[in-house]
Amino acid sequence: MLQSSSYYMQPEPKPHNPYQDPRYAKYEKYGDQQELEAEIERDAKLLFKKKQLEKIEGFTGYFEFMRPDFPSPVYYEGETYSTAAHAYNAAKLIDPNMRRRIQKAPTLQEMYNVARTIEEPEGWTHKKLKVMERIMRDKFRRSRDMRERLAATQNREIINFLPDKSEENLYWGMVGKQGQNQLGKILERVRQSVHDESEMEQWMQNNFNLVEGRKKLPSINLEVFKDGQLIESITLENKPYYVFGAHPHKCDVVLKHPSMSRVHAAFLIDQDLGVVLIDLMSKAKTKLDDQTLEGCIPHQVKANSKQKVIFGLSTRVYQISIDYSKMQRAVEIEKKNLEREMRLLEKLDNVDNIDMDTLKSTLGLIKQDTIYVSNLPYSVTEQELMELFNDCGKILSIRMPENKQTKQNRGFAFITMADEKAARRALNYDGHKFYNRRLKVNQAEKKAEIEERRINGEDFRQGKGEALKNDDRESRDHRDRRDDHRDRRHRSRSREVRNHRERDNKRDNYDRDRSRERRNRSPRRNERDNRDQKRNDKTEKEREIKKRSVSSKSSHSSKSSSSSSSNSSRSNSSESNKSSDIENNNEQVIQEQIKSSSQKQKVE
């Protein structure tokens, strides 16, 4: 059977028209090809613009405030500049006159003309990124409006597009698709710190040379006066900066006056300037000895002048005193260490070929061959210690300090071994039981280390810290074991009590059920119950009869009392009537007498 041609012959494919696709249905109304292409081009531009909104490409228009030459004051190394570009170019210079020329330049063009004549100092390539970040952070710290505008860009990528291709432009921005865009990355870091609310702390750390280490920090004492009376004393120590303001979480000292800003002012401890006071762009300002402070500019606080600070419009006066004694002790220790190192270097200059032992002795490095043994019995002898540590290696000397009064040893000894390996083997005897005592064996320390610990206020007795740690560890382990044992006993007891209780409950229920069944089954028990029931019924009947007799007697007595009360009431009423008649007669007699007397007077 022949198949029809329509079965295997495929129809000719129609040419694909993209504008008849459902996705392009809106373009069907355009009959003219030129109008259609113009509409598609407009849509493509809108799509491209939408993609551009995901990035900030170039600092123009609304984003012009990100430019380094945007008019915004910047403080750098004791001077205030009109823009960040002025400060950056001045940072390349050491000559103060040239810096002043850049600072006083009236226009950007004149500033750039001076900057072109500047030669970059040595090492500037490694320094310029840090300088620019410091300047840009100071710029945004001084303007809350610019911080808010920068934070409003959210997480969009910031790209500094520049037109001319040069080495400097390729470093700070991008030319086409080339460049490192370091300025855009700095702005993104500043924006992230604004989002994290850590912008102020990072500004302090980047723009000031803060003192590091508690030993070098002075203590700041503030005496608070109100109406001439001392009401409070505040001590600030152990931190390189302290923030004052109304915010309870961001500030070290909370100020509750209504005129205070959230972060109002701060004390900073700078390595070069010492203690400085900074107003953090507050609205009500800060006064130091009746001088209003400029925002975000450090003002040095004198040590012993007892200067006075007033925050905002508050009536409280804060009198400042600074104690540099701890800082001076740390400087003296550091100075002694430097002098010792200088003497050692002078000794080494005169020696050409030197072995390791001579080098150690020259540098004052004691071999780690001496151990410190404590918790010894007072009666121990050197011979016994020699026999105890003889297995570790050769012993050169044993020194046991004695008590001058009792002439006995003081419970510890210094043992010098032949080499460091023998000393390390002897350290394994730490905790060894010797005459019912646990020995404490540690490495002997140098006198310089002990002296430094004494100056720092730490416990300088040899090996005491480690011994205390071991004692604490042993007592803690014993306490843990005791508590675990006690908990196990408590759990076991509670489990036994619970099991006994459940068993007793089950037994009681079983016994009650069995006794109930037994009573129902035994005939003797039933007879006895019947007799008891009859006896109880009889007693109840007798009680009812007694109650009835008592109630009848009480009713009879009540009737008699009622009759007597009625008779008494009658007698009382008769007596009252009699008394009333007598009173009426008396009144009549009195009235008659009055009438007769009045008639006599008339006759007369």
Side-chain angles (χ1 to χ4, degrees):
M1 184 176 179
L2 295 174
Q3 296 178 349
S4 62
S5 61
S6 62
Y7 180 79
Y8 59 88
M9 291 182 64
Q10 297 181 356
E12 294 182 1
K14 295 181 180 180
H16 177 67
N17 187 359
Y19 305 117
Q20 292 181 357
D21 193 284
R23 293 174 295 178
Y24 302 99
K26 66 177 183 177
Y27 298 123
E28 292 180 356
K29 62 181 180 179
Y30 296 99
D32 190 5
Q33 185 70 18
Q34 292 182 354
E35 292 181 0
L36 180 62
E37 291 177 356
E39 181 65 19
I40 293 173
E41 187 176 356
R42 282 195 294 270
D43 289 347
K45 287 182 179 180
L46 289 173
L47 183 62
F48 181 71
K49 190 174 182 180
K50 185 178 179 181
K51 288 185 177 180
Q52 276 188 326
L53 291 176
E54 297 175 359
K55 299 179 181 180
I56 298 172
E57 298 177 342
F59 303 154
T60 57
Y62 178 80
F63 303 109
E64 192 176 4
F65 69 95
M66 299 183 186
R67 293 171 58 92
D69 53 5
F70 183 79
S72 178
V74 173
Y75 180 83
Y76 183 79
E77 292 187 353
E79 299 291 340
T80 303
Y81 299 89
S82 57
T83 67
H86 284 75
Y88 175 76
N89 286 289
K92 302 177 185 178
L93 298 167
I94 301 175
D95 187 5
N97 295 325
M98 289 293 292
R99 281 194 173 189
R100 199 171 295 110
R101 282 186 61 188
I102 290 180
Q103 183 184 9
K104 301 295 182 181
T107 61
L108 287 173
Q109 189 61 41
E110 292 186 15
M111 185 272 295
Y112 283 126
N113 291 335
V114 177
R116 289 190 187 96
T117 63
I118 299 173
E119 293 183 1
E120 292 184 355
E122 186 178 357
W124 179 250
T125 54
H126 303 289
K127 185 182 177 182
K128 61 183 179 181
L129 183 62
K130 188 176 181 180
V131 171
M132 179 61 82
E133 183 169 356
R134 175 180 174 180
I135 291 170
M136 295 302 289
R137 284 190 178 277
D138 191 83
K139 170 185 173 179
F140 283 94
R141 173 96 284 271
R142 294 173 180 278
S143 175
R144 182 178 179 180
D145 178 62
M146 285 198 295
R147 288 200 303 271
E148 292 176 352
R149 291 169 68 181
L150 182 64
T153 59
Q154 297 179 353
N155 295 324
R156 295 160 67 183
E157 186 180 0
I158 301 175
I159 301 175
N160 180 25
F161 270 114
L162 297 171
D164 301 329
K165 189 173 183 179
S166 64
E167 185 179 355
E168 195 74 7
N169 288 351
L170 289 173
Y171 182 79
W172 293 115
M174 293 187 70
V175 180
K177 294 184 179 181
Q178 297 179 352
Q180 300 183 33
N181 191 33
Q182 292 294 343
L183 182 59
K185 293 176 182 178
I186 289 173
L187 292 170
E188 289 177 359
R189 288 197 291 271
V190 175
R191 180 181 63 188
Q192 184 62 36
S193 64
V194 174
H195 288 163
D196 298 341
E197 296 185 352
S198 61
E199 180 267 334
M200 183 186 64
E201 288 80 3
Q202 294 194 23
W203 169 74
M204 291 180 182
Q205 293 171 1
N206 280 276
N207 290 50
F208 295 93
N209 190 13
L210 298 178
V211 176
E212 296 180 358
R214 292 186 176 183
K215 299 175 185 178
K216 298 181 181 180
L217 291 171
S219 61
I220 304 172
N221 301 313
L222 300 176
E223 294 181 347
V224 187
F225 292 89
K226 186 174 183 179
D227 298 331
Q229 294 183 354
L230 179 65
I231 60 173
E232 189 181 0
S233 295
I234 302 172
T235 302
L236 307 175
E237 55 186 0
N238 300 330
K239 280 187 67 176
Y241 62 87
Y242 309 92
V243 182
F244 289 65
H247 200 288
H249 301 297
K250 291 184 179 180
C251 300
D252 300 293
V253 180
V254 179
L255 306 175
K256 297 183 179 180
H257 196 271
S259 64
M260 300 301 164
S261 300
R262 298 180 69 189
V263 284
H264 195 95
F267 280 96
L268 272 75
I269 303 173
D270 189 272
Q271 292 185 7
D272 303 323
L273 302 175
V275 179
V276 295
L277 177 63
I278 301 176
D279 181 80
L280 299 174
M281 306 301 294
S282 63
K283 292 183 179 179
K285 302 298 181 181
T286 305
K287 291 184 179 180
L288 178 63
D289 286 342
D290 298 331
Q291 177 188 357
T292 303
L293 305 183
E294 297 182 28
C296 291
I297 293 179
H299 295 267
Q300 193 171 8
V301 179
K302 299 177 183 178
N304 299 319
S305 61
K306 293 187 177 181
Q307 292 178 289
K308 297 179 181 179
V309 181
I310 299 176
F311 299 103
L313 303 178
S314 175
T315 57
R316 297 191 177 192
V317 180
Y318 296 77
Q319 186 170 300
I320 309 170
S321 60
I322 305 171
D323 184 12
Y324 285 99
S325 58
K326 189 190 296 185
M327 194 174 183
Q328 289 174 355
R329 285 197 298 269
V331 171
E332 289 175 359
I333 293 171
E334 191 172 353
K335 183 180 177 181
K336 288 180 180 179
N337 293 334
L338 290 173
E339 290 176 352
R340 184 171 59 85
E341 291 177 1
M342 289 295 295
R343 289 195 298 269
L344 295 175
L345 290 174
E346 290 175 358
K347 291 180 181 179
L348 292 175
D349 286 340
N350 301 325
V351 181
D352 295 332
N353 297 323
I354 188 170
D355 58 350
M356 186 58 66
D357 293 336
T358 308
L359 178 63
K360 284 186 176 182
S361 61
T362 305
L363 294 175
L365 300 175
I366 301 174
K367 290 183 179 181
Q368 300 293 329
D369 56 357
T370 304
I371 60 172
Y372 171 78
V373 185
S374 60
N375 201 25
L376 291 170
Y378 296 116
S379 59
V380 72
T381 61
E382 292 185 5
Q383 184 63 31
E384 291 174 337
L385 290 178
M386 185 79 72
E387 293 175 358
L388 178 63
F389 290 97
N390 195 25
D391 295 337
C392 300
K394 186 178 179 181
I395 298 174
L396 299 180
S397 65
I398 296 177
R399 185 167 62 88
M400 300 174 62
E402 293 182 352
N403 192 334
K404 294 181 180 180
Q405 296 179 355
T406 61
K407 301 298 181 181
Q408 290 183 343
N409 69 70
R410 297 167 61 184
F412 61 90
F414 294 93
I415 303 175
T416 303
M417 311 299 290
D419 52 12
E420 295 181 1
K421 292 182 180 180
R424 284 196 294 270
R425 285 194 292 268
L427 293 177
N428 295 326
Y429 278 81
D430 185 27
H432 179 73
K433 198 168 184 179
F434 183 69
Y435 284 105
N436 294 326
R437 288 173 176 253
R438 295 286 182 183
L439 296 181
K440 296 179 176 62
V441 183
N442 298 302
Q443 197 79 46
E445 296 181 0
K446 296 184 291 185
K447 290 184 178 180
E449 295 177 356
I450 298 172
E451 184 67 23
E452 184 177 356
R453 286 164 59 184
R454 180 189 285 113
I455 292 172
N456 295 337
E458 301 176 5
D459 194 349
F460 58 88
R461 282 178 287 179
Q462 186 64 256
K464 182 176 179 183
E466 190 66 28
L468 287 176
K469 289 179 184 177
N470 293 333
D471 291 344
D472 291 341
R473 194 181 300 115
E474 291 176 2
S475 62
R476 186 168 59 252
D477 294 341
H478 173 69
R479 192 163 54 248
D480 293 341
R481 288 195 300 271
R482 181 193 63 195
D483 294 341
D484 291 340
H485 179 66
R486 185 180 296 167
D487 292 341
R488 285 197 298 273
R489 289 183 61 191
H490 177 72
R491 286 195 296 270
S492 63
R493 286 180 180 178
S494 62
R495 194 180 299 113
E496 290 176 1
V497 170
R498 188 168 60 253
N499 293 336
H500 281 302
R501 191 177 297 153
E502 291 176 357
R503 187 177 60 197
D504 293 341
N505 290 334
K506 291 179 181 179
R507 183 179 297 167
D508 291 342
N509 294 331
Y510 180 74
D511 291 342
R512 282 197 294 271
D513 293 337
R514 289 192 64 186
S515 63
R516 193 178 296 113
E517 291 176 1
R518 198 181 298 115
R519 284 199 305 272
N520 294 331
R521 289 175 185 174
S522 62
R524 292 182 181 178
R525 182 71 178 175
N526 292 335
E527 291 177 1
R528 189 169 56 204
D529 291 341
N530 292 332
R531 286 198 301 271
D532 293 339
Q533 185 68 29
K534 288 179 180 179
R535 191 182 300 110
N536 293 332
D537 294 340
K538 187 177 180 179
T539 54
E540 287 180 359
K541 287 181 180 179
E542 291 176 354
R543 287 175 184 172
E544 288 179 358
I545 292 168
K546 287 182 180 180
K547 285 182 181 179
R548 288 174 184 174
S549 62
V550 170
S551 62
S552 63
K553 288 180 181 180
S554 62
S555 63
H556 180 70
S557 62
S558 63
K559 287 180 181 179
S560 61
S561 62
S562 63
S563 62
S564 62
S565 62
S566 61
N567 293 329
S568 63
S569 62
R570 288 173 186 173
S571 62
N572 291 331
S573 62
S574 62
E575 289 177 358
S576 63
N577 292 330
K578 288 180 181 179
S579 62
S580 62
D581 293 337
I582 293 168
E583 289 177 357
N584 293 330
N585 293 331
N586 291 333
E587 288 179 357
Q588 290 177 0
V589 171
I590 291 168
Q591 288 178 0
E592 289 176 355
Q593 289 178 358
I594 291 169
K595 287 180 180 180
S596 62
S597 62
S598 62
Q599 289 176 0
K600 286 180 181 180
Q601 288 178 358
K602 287 180 180 180
V603 171
E604 291 175 354

